[in-house]
Amino acid sequence: MYQILKQIIKTGIKTETPPQVDESMRVDTQRLQQEILDVFGGALAIRQVDAGSCNGCELEIHAVNNAYYNIEGMGIKFVASPRHADLLLVTGPVSRHMEIALKRTYDATPDPKLVVAIGDCACDGGIFGESYASCGKVSNVIPVDVVVSGCPPAPTAILQGILTAISARKP
Amino acid sequence: MPIKHPNLKLTRLTDALPAWTGEIGPDDLHEICRQVHDGGGRLVALWGSDTRQQDRGFQLHVLLLNETGMVCLNVQLSAEQPVYPDISQIFPAASRMQRATYDMLGIYAQEGHDHRKWVRHGAWHSGSFPLRKDFDAAASRTDEADAYPFVQVEGQGVHEIPVGPVHAGIIEPGHFRFSIIGERVLRLEERLGYVHKGIEKRFESMSLQQGAKLAGRVSGDSTVAYAWAYAMAAESIAKVTPPSRALWMRALLLERERVANHLGDLGYLGNDVALAFGFAQFWILKEQVLRNNAALFGHRYLMDTIAPGGVAVTLSAEGKRVIEAECAMLEQQVRILRGIYDEHAGVQDRFIGTGVVTPKLAAQLGLCGLAGRASAQAWDARVQFACAPYDKLDVQMSTYRNGDVASRAIVRFGELFESLRLQREILVNLIHEDEAPAALAKLPPNGFGIGMVEGWRGEVMVAIHTDAQGNLTRVHPHDPSWQNWPLLEHAIIDNIVPDFPLINKSFNLSYSGQDL
């Protein structure tokens, strides 16, 4: 225990300031009303769905949980079930084998809900494109509110996308 | 590779690795496989290709490995009846590869005991095969229902837990079917293929350079290993040796990939036993490695840093100092954290004896990579087939023989420290003279090459076939997860369901890399 405490004190606080909201990431008009956003407040539950990615975007989504980005410190947490989620974070070109699973996950998420597509593949199909096995971008399968490009996008960009999705649209 | 068989004439490939190739008929396949198996050899990969346009019917490619090198058997199959004898009775790891080869090409393993679909889940008609050259993507499209017969365990009190494809964490999709009694697992059956996105078909329409980019995205956590294996295969066909500085750089990048992944997994192994401290600490270290990667090489995970013929990045004298400082910092920090893990009763209680794969079973089923080394399978391509620059590095293999979660953690710690030592040694040898890069624009016609690299998870292999114009006609990437996924089904037996995430993470296998 002494070693653990010593290490924690020596490590100190690593968390950095979160990025600013970027309206250019928004692709859909705001589907939520201000009151609902107020209800979300500082407590957002995210369900991550890999719909066919190479696992690169997952690595960066893991990274937003680390001490530098500390997404939980902002009251945002990843949950195990779509039933508990306010927002779906979807990666990958949607493989044809994941099409139904993604739709069902979307349907299982209670309204009002948001969808953020993470990574080049989720934005436009990326290097895998559309084929006999791939449906391409996420918005080909379910409605998307915000897209975050990059291969994979850095953790700050992912955070920015999530914060953009839950922030009220400026008139 | 000395295999004695009257119908087998081996040709040595021009390669960084000792590799041979030879053509045989289906009737000789069994005998040769048996001989390699009895001599302690293993199956690395099995794939097929459609060569009907060259009037050569279909071909089955079986890549075998023993202590002296690799041999790729090209088995000629007829265009009308593409069948071959099942080899899963000799190499059990062949079973899923044979099923996948059927789904993709319609070539059939006779007398095999498992003919269920593996890759195809109902997205294309069961009678159409995507990797055939005459495959019509539009006409093959279907949403036909796909009843998959899972093996059922019967008995009083036995029930099933189906999990996935969407899992309860930030993880790739797949389906697990647990048959349990109480909390104890009697049987686990995996069904993968959910992230199949047509990578192999995609290669066929790509240039050599585009293919390098795609190879780096077969599995996002092993991008250096795949890009290097791809480059190695291309260089073998073109008979080109990259400048030595490029090879030293590749090894540096590969070791950095290994360090980053081991740091991440060691953090999650702590997290999975409720020591959130471990996650926080290891991920701080991982983030520092990733940030240095971005600053020095322009990408946090080192994607697109390796190109056929050379590398696409350089390292300045200042960059060397950054890596040296990072290595020293990691060495010191990881030593402290290993001490904490070693002495933490809760961690050791959950790690020791959990998810055991005995050395005997590991050898029988062909467990490879770091999980194999934790079960006494002393294979490491950097040691046995030390291609440049590993031939000058004297890599020390980490092995253990208990085969449990604790052993896999010990092997990871061992490899992490060894990677830090290797990085330092590479930096000493990375001399500051830029040799002229051998730009590889196009490959010669009708070529065949193999590249194999010891990635952090295990042996990553890429095979390239070119057509009469020198275009990519067939590219097959092979992930070590093919061999290791079936062992996870064994490792969980007699453990409790709540220990599955921990056991799974200790292997950390790839879905994308094997679904393709």
Side-chain angles (χ1 to χ4, degrees):
Chain A
M1 201 63 207
Y2 166 71
Q3 261 301 341
I4 293 181
L5 291 174
K6 188 174 146 201
Q7 184 72 11
I8 290 172
I9 291 162
K10 254 175 46 194
T11 306
I13 293 170
K14 295 281 183 196
T15 309
E16 298 167 344
T17 327
Q20 291 297 307
V21 165
D22 179 0
E23 282 298 329
S24 70
M25 294 170 128
R26 199 187 299 283
V27 290
D28 201 352
T29 51
Q30 187 73 38
R31 289 189 291 135
L32 299 181
Q33 295 168 0
Q34 185 57 47
E35 307 90 78
I36 298 163
L37 288 168
D38 292 341
V39 173
F40 277 162
L44 182 82
I46 299 178
R47 175 65 263 222
Q48 194 266 337
V49 185
D50 176 343
S53 91
C54 75
N55 199 29
C57 291
E58 275 64 34
L59 296 176
E60 291 297 51
I61 295 171
H62 282 298
V64 299
N65 278 307
N66 76 29
Y68 283 89
Y69 307 103
N70 192 18
I71 194 169
E72 287 211 8
M74 290 179 238
I76 303 171
K77 62 173 182 171
F78 288 87
V79 292
S81 165
R83 297 274 189 227
H84 306 157
D86 308 305
L87 183 150
L88 293 180
L89 202 59
V90 188
T91 63
V94 182
S95 74
R96 294 229 29 227
H97 292 159
M98 278 302 287
E99 190 181 353
I100 293 171
L102 179 61
K103 278 184 187 154
R104 284 186 185 163
T105 307
Y106 181 80
D107 291 342
T109 311
D111 283 323
K113 57 196 162 197
L114 291 160
V115 177
V116 177
I118 297 289
D120 285 347
C121 299
C123 292
D124 61 10
I127 195 165
F128 304 105
E130 287 180 34
S131 71
Y132 74 94
S134 163
C135 306
K137 60 184 176 183
V138 174
S139 61
N140 286 349
V141 179
I142 57 170
V144 170
D145 298 277
V146 166
V147 293
V148 182
S149 60
C151 184
T156 334
I158 295 173
L159 270 182
Q160 197 171 34
I162 294 167
L163 295 176
T164 303
I166 57 175
S167 73
R169 195 188 182 88
K170 301 279 184 318
Chain B
M1 184 182 198
I3 302 178
K4 290 198 174 39
H5 193 277
N7 299 338
L8 180 67
K9 288 194 177 51
L10 292 173
T11 323
R12 174 88 194 241
L13 292 171
T14 316
D15 211 329
L17 305 164
W20 288 263
T21 176
E23 299 201 348
I24 54 165
D27 297 340
D28 298 321
L29 182 61
H30 251 190
E31 205 179 315
I32 297 172
C33 284
R34 177 67 65 190
Q35 206 184 107
V36 172
H37 174 269
D38 293 348
R42 296 162 34 210
L43 171 77
V44 176
L46 180 152
W47 70 101
S49 57
D50 177 2
T51 42
R52 287 175 299 167
Q53 285 168 338
Q54 291 95 57
D55 286 327
R56 298 179 66 204
F58 290 95
Q59 293 199 45
L60 175 77
H61 310 282
V62 181
L63 184 63
L64 303 170
L65 179 77
N66 71 11
E67 272 141 15
T68 52
M70 296 189 284
V71 65
C72 184
L73 302 171
N74 297 322
V75 188
Q76 308 296 317
L77 310 178
S78 80
E80 297 74 34
Q81 271 207 313
V83 294
Y84 60 95
D86 163 56
I87 59 164
S88 68
Q89 44 190 295
I90 304 170
F91 298 111
S95 181
R96 287 176 180 182
M97 300 181 212
Q98 290 179 169
R99 288 162 65 186
T101 309
Y102 177 78
D103 291 346
M104 301 306 289
L105 274 153
I107 63 180
Y108 190 77
Q110 278 178 311
E111 293 141 22
H113 65 282
D114 192 348
H115 290 296
R116 291 175 297 168
K117 295 180 284 282
W118 180 248
V119 184
R120 201 193 79 87
H121 287 207
W124 61 93
H125 284 291
S126 49
S128 63
F129 304 102
L131 287 181
R132 288 193 175 184
K133 296 293 180 189
D134 53 6
F135 173 72
D136 182 346
S140 73
R141 209 187 145 95
T142 175
D143 293 311
E144 69 186 61
D146 189 36
Y148 187 80
F150 283 95
V151 175
Q152 304 233 306
V153 178
E154 290 178 355
Q156 204 174 12
V158 178
H159 57 285
E160 282 187 348
I161 311 177
V163 180
V166 179
H167 291 154
I170 304 165
I171 182 173
E172 299 180 86
H175 184 88
F176 298 114
R177 188 68 62 101
F178 296 91
S179 297
I180 61 167
I181 189 155
E183 284 225 305
R184 198 161 63 90
V185 178
L186 299 175
R187 183 189 157 85
L188 163 66
E189 186 172 351
E190 298 152 359
R191 189 183 185 208
L192 307 179
Y194 288 92
V195 279
H196 175 74
K197 45 193 171 284
I199 290 177
E200 287 174 292
K201 191 74 181 172
R202 197 88 179 149
F203 272 118
E204 293 179 3
S205 59
M206 287 187 154
S207 69
L208 185 64
Q209 287 72 25
Q210 289 168 328
K213 214 168 168 216
L214 182 59
R217 284 158 181 81
V218 168
S219 178
D221 54 26
S222 304
T223 176
V224 176
Y226 273 101
W228 189 353
Y230 177 88
M232 196 188 280
E235 287 149 11
S236 155
I237 298 174
K239 300 187 171 39
V240 165
T241 308
S244 75
R245 186 182 157 83
L247 292 170
W248 285 107
M249 280 296 288
R250 287 180 183 180
L252 179 70
L253 299 169
L254 187 70
E255 296 309 321
R256 292 185 67 73
E257 179 169 276
R258 193 183 319 277
V259 166
N261 279 295
H262 283 339
L263 286 172
D265 282 349
L266 286 166
Y268 267 109
L269 284 171
N271 206 45
D272 281 346
V273 297
L275 185 69
F277 163 85
F279 171 77
Q281 293 285 331
F282 275 106
W283 277 71
I284 286 170
L285 302 179
K286 180 174 179 177
E287 181 67 20
Q288 289 169 359
V289 174
L290 299 179
R291 288 184 175 196
N292 282 343
N293 281 348
L296 299 173
F297 307 112
H299 197 284
R300 283 162 58 89
Y301 297 92
L302 306 170
M303 282 178 177
D304 307 322
T305 52
I306 294 179
V311 286
V313 288
T314 56
L315 187 65
S316 63
E318 173 56 26
K320 274 189 178 183
R321 280 192 288 277
V322 170
I323 294 179
E324 274 162 8
E326 179 202 283
C327 287
M329 180 275 293
L330 287 178
E331 176 103 40
Q332 188 224 2
Q333 290 294 310
V334 175
R335 221 168 272 290
I336 294 171
L337 294 177
R338 186 175 65 177
I340 290 173
Y341 271 26
D342 282 350
E343 286 166 21
H344 194 284
V347 169
Q348 293 304 317
D349 183 46
R350 291 282 305 280
F351 278 13
I352 294 172
T354 306
V356 176
V357 178
T358 61
K360 188 177 170 207
L361 187 70
Q364 269 172 359
L365 300 189
L367 188 68
C368 68
L370 85 92
R373 289 190 284 279
S375 295
Q377 305 306 301
W379 292 88
D380 185 327
R382 297 176 300 166
V383 177
Q384 271 106 356
F385 313 109
C387 65
Y390 285 107
D391 52 351
K392 298 182 194 72
L393 282 170
D394 190 22
V395 177
Q396 299 298 304
M397 211 190 300
S398 294
T399 54
Y400 215 69
R401 56 174 302 113
N402 289 2
D404 54 2
V405 173
S407 307
R408 289 185 280 277
I410 288 167
V411 168
R412 280 177 199 271
F413 274 117
E415 294 191 353
L416 219 167
F417 287 121
E418 177 67 1
S419 275
L420 295 177
R421 184 187 75 78
L422 293 173
Q423 280 191 54
R424 289 181 173 134
E425 207 153 308
I426 291 166
L427 289 178
V428 173
N429 287 283
L430 201 59
I431 303 152
H432 267 278
E433 282 164 35
D434 270 316
E435 296 166 60
L440 203 50
K442 199 151 166 51
L443 295 179
N446 301 317
F448 171 61
I450 299 172
M452 193 169 90
V453 170
E454 188 74 30
W456 69 274
R457 189 181 273 124
E459 302 144 358
V460 164
M461 193 283 296
V462 174
I464 301 179
H465 305 252
T466 61
D467 65 9
Q469 286 76 44
N471 299 318
L472 302 177
T473 182
R474 179 85 175 87
V475 176
H476 177 71
H478 179 91
D479 198 273
S481 304
W482 277 105
Q483 271 83 356
N484 292 2
W485 273 116
L487 267 301
L488 183 63
E489 291 181 347
H490 289 269
I492 182 69
I493 292 173
D494 272 344
N495 288 264
I496 57 172
V497 178
D499 271 340
F500 182 69
L502 175 66
I503 297 169
N504 192 20
K505 183 49 86 177
S506 72
F507 283 86
N508 194 4
L509 302 175
S510 172
Y511 298 70
S512 180
Q514 83 116 57
D515 288 351
L516 296 175

